Amino acid sequence: MVRRPVLAAGCVPVIVALALAAVPARADRPGGVVPAPAAAPAAPAAPAAVTTVTAAAVKPPPGMLEAIEQDLNMSREEAETRLINENRLLAVAARLKEKLGVRFGGAWLRTKTAHTLVVASTSAADIPQIIVEGAQAEVVPRSLTQLIAIRKKLDATLPPDPLISGVRYVDVKRNKVTVLATAPQRVGVFVQKSGVDRTAVTVLPSVEVPLPLSAPSYELVGGAAYYVGPVNRCSVGFSVTKGAQAGFVSSGHCGRKGDVTTGFNRVVQGVFQASAFPGSDHAWITVNESWKTVPAVESGAGSTVAVSGARPAVEGASICQSGSTTDWQCGRVQQLNASVTYPQGVVSDLTRTSICAEPGDSGGPIISIDQAQGVTSGGSGDCASGGTTYFQPITEILTTYGLTLKTTGDDMPSGASRACTGYPRQVTGTLIKGQDDYQPAEPYRSAVAGLHVGCVDGPEDADFDLYLEKWTGLKWLAVAPGDGVTSDEMVSHQGTPGSYRYRITATTGSGPYVLGFTTP
């Protein structure tokens, strides 16, 4: 493999000045960057604006840090640092992808704590703007668009047999398309006949044999089981809407248009409105009035993770899956833009991950912190020996069916606002800096599972945080944090029956507050 020099962004003003003198790569150094010739350095560029990101800027949902520690073999400090870095660098990656356009060659994270973002371009002229954004620059011969075109041509050429060439993906680190094959020599012949640039393809021996993860066997929360027929079990993905219709997305191989679903409790639930498999692997299902959609996914031990958006993760990012078989599992994004060959045919534009999954997890949600990523399609291996999982990105599903992802804030009561008016229950109080208050005066008990929504409005110059807590039988446990940097916070939680209360904390500032909330 050709080793390509990488330009670091450790000291932005100095490196920007040097990068401006870079010259195009020579033919004898493919994919490389020729250092600037020895000459008087250019005048230093103006320092780039730097946004300081602290631990308070990233508030992972309950249970996520613990799962990342365990599944990615990290300390608590490493897991916290990783999420802080990812939150900052994924925004950088999105900006650079838009700026570079057709020259964009991909992006990936490096180091255990995702400290470094590498962004590739087909033009050395893009090096300065990549470095100014705080990323490392790498010059590559092929753009991401070109690599995807090569992968699509291979999809149409290679035999549709998972036992021969089960997986193909764009490997942006190598700037190639990789084919994982149980019969690499045979696959090599097909690659040669396909007419693609052979130097842009790597065929590797592999034991991955993709299979869909469906299995024989009144709140709608991602990761919960649902059934198609008497024994077919899959997992709920993300809650969505289409006009006045509410429902959820899941895997296409779980059912076909017109199929009726029942929920985890075997109560009639919904109907498949559309489904695609193979080619793609996605579906959307409308639900009846007995089921209420919520922007949340199960994260184990009765907890849920709120869904706030759908910002795509890049290669190397940590992500987690909720499924009705394996519950809550975490891993990393390995490659984007992958194709896999199932026994039923090829599915393209999937994301390949190190998450383990098992039959029954199909359709379950994949999430990065609080950002929806996609629904589980299939996998290879299992959670006992380790495995690989592929998911269908959420953006394609939403676009294909004209759906809107349900996110936090959608379930606020009619007339409610950030000023916390319009809630059926309201209480008031006063806090001084460093003080906690608990509301209502007597904790309330919810006899049924359902959605809890709370909102606190404090003084404009203060930072008041809001936490929904549940009694475990031994202690009060925070199940939904709202700890941003303003005096107005909102939390939502899909909860099980039990006793609840709100804790309001004056992190900075003092003064009166209003708490509005709803109960199931």
Side-chain angles (χ1 to χ4, degrees):
M1 181 181 73
V2 177
R3 297 287 183 182
R4 293 167 292 187
V6 175
L7 299 185
C11 179
V12 173
V14 175
I15 293 179
V16 169
L18 293 176
L20 291 175
V23 298
R26 297 201 311 262
D28 61 337
R29 296 177 68 176
V33 180
V34 179
V50 177
T51 301
T52 301
V53 179
T54 64
V58 179
K59 297 296 180 182
M64 181 173 285
L65 276 175
E66 292 79 3
I68 290 176
E69 286 178 60
Q70 175 181 311
D71 295 338
L72 299 185
N73 192 27
M74 291 183 171
S75 67
R76 171 57 64 96
E77 182 179 2
E78 288 173 330
E80 290 175 342
T81 301
R82 182 178 182 87
L83 292 183
I84 291 170
N85 288 335
E86 289 180 1
N87 189 57
R88 172 174 57 88
L89 293 175
L90 294 186
V92 173
R95 287 198 301 271
L96 285 171
K97 180 179 181 182
E98 183 176 357
K99 287 181 179 180
L100 302 187
V102 295
R103 304 184 304 280
F104 180 71
W108 61 95
L109 296 170
R110 282 181 176 165
T111 77
K112 188 174 185 179
T113 57
H115 179 267
T116 303
L117 172 70
V118 183
V119 175
S121 172
T122 57
S123 172
D126 289 324
I127 293 172
Q129 64 175 320
I130 293 174
I131 294 176
V132 167
E133 287 279 6
Q136 289 186 351
E138 188 163 312
V139 179
V140 294
R142 289 170 286 270
S143 69
L144 180 60
T145 300
Q146 291 172 317
L147 291 172
I148 293 174
I150 292 171
R151 192 219 70 208
K152 289 181 176 180
K153 192 165 185 179
L154 291 176
D155 290 349
T157 304
L158 298 182
D161 186 343
L163 294 175
I164 297 176
S165 58
V167 181
R168 296 160 298 287
Y169 56 79
V170 171
D171 189 338
V172 293
K173 293 179 185 177
R174 298 187 183 193
N175 195 236
K176 292 187 175 186
V177 174
T178 295
V179 181
L180 301 184
T182 57
Q185 291 183 336
R186 181 178 175 185
V187 168
V189 174
F190 283 101
V191 172
Q192 197 71 37
K193 292 180 179 179
S194 70
V196 302
D197 178 3
R198 188 63 179 85
T199 64
V201 181
T202 299
V203 181
L204 298 177
S206 173
V207 296
E208 284 191 32
V209 180
L211 293 171
L213 292 174
S214 55
S217 47
Y218 260 127
E219 293 280 353
L220 193 69
V221 183
Y226 74 92
Y227 298 85
V228 182
V231 294
N232 244 9
R233 173 169 57 85
C234 281
S235 300
V236 174
F238 294 96
S239 291
V240 295
T241 58
K242 186 172 185 178
Q245 292 181 308
F248 64 95
V249 294
S250 190
S251 294
H253 69 263
C254 290
R256 290 289 177 259
K257 182 177 180 179
D259 285 349
V260 176
T261 70
T262 56
F264 64 92
N265 50 7
R266 295 293 188 172
V267 171
V268 174
Q269 180 189 69
V271 179
F272 275 77
Q273 298 299 312
S275 174
F277 181 77
S280 297
D281 191 6
H282 49 59
W284 98 276
I285 300 98
T286 53
V287 294
N288 58 42
E289 294 179 354
S290 297
W291 295 84
K292 178 177 175 56
T293 57
V294 294
V297 302
E298 294 179 346
S299 58
S303 297
T304 59
V305 173
V307 180
S308 298
R311 183 178 64 199
V314 300
E315 219 174 274
S318 51
I319 52 175
C320 299
Q321 171 199 260
S322 181
S324 61
T325 299
T326 57
D327 198 7
W328 184 246
Q329 301 290 335
C330 294
R332 291 190 184 94
V333 174
Q334 293 179 317
Q335 288 86 25
L336 310 176
N337 302 296
S339 298
V340 304
T341 304
Y342 295 127
Q344 298 90 340
V346 176
V347 177
S348 301
D349 299 312
L350 299 179
T351 297
R352 184 169 175 261
T353 79
S354 64
I355 297 175
C356 71
E358 296 185 2
D361 288 337
S362 278
I366 306 285
I367 194 166
S368 174
I369 306 179
D370 61 352
Q371 300 294 307
Q373 299 300 310
V375 299
T376 303
S377 172
S380 181
D382 54 41
C383 289
S385 60
T388 301
T389 298
Y390 327 100
F391 73 79
Q392 181 83 69
I394 187 69
T395 49
E396 179 180 338
I397 306 174
L398 299 177
T399 301
T400 299
Y401 301 126
L403 306 173
T404 299
L405 180 69
K406 201 167 182 72
T407 59
T408 52
D410 293 345
D411 288 295
M412 292 175 67
S414 177
S417 71
R418 282 290 183 180
C420 303
T421 59
Y423 284 82
R425 301 183 66 176
Q426 283 194 347
V427 293
T428 60
T430 302
L431 282 172
I432 60 174
K433 181 181 176 181
Q435 190 179 58
D436 290 332
D437 207 357
Y438 297 91
Q439 297 287 4
E442 292 293 331
Y444 67 89
R445 178 163 183 80
S446 175
V448 297
L451 185 70
H452 302 250
V453 180
C455 171
V456 68
D457 179 28
E460 290 300 321
D461 58 350
D463 176 9
F464 282 14
D465 296 329
L466 179 65
Y467 302 86
L468 176 64
E469 298 182 337
K470 182 181 180 183
W471 180 247
T472 67
L474 298 174
K475 63 178 181 179
W476 287 99
L477 177 68
V479 293
D483 45 9
V485 295
T486 70
S487 61
D488 303 329
E489 300 289 349
M490 191 192 76
V491 298
S492 63
H493 174 69
Q494 181 63 31
T496 54
S499 295
Y500 293 85
R501 71 181 185 185
Y502 286 95
R503 173 164 56 92
I504 304 97
T505 301
T507 304
T508 62
S510 304
Y513 67 84
V514 176
L515 170 70
F517 62 100
T518 68
T519 61

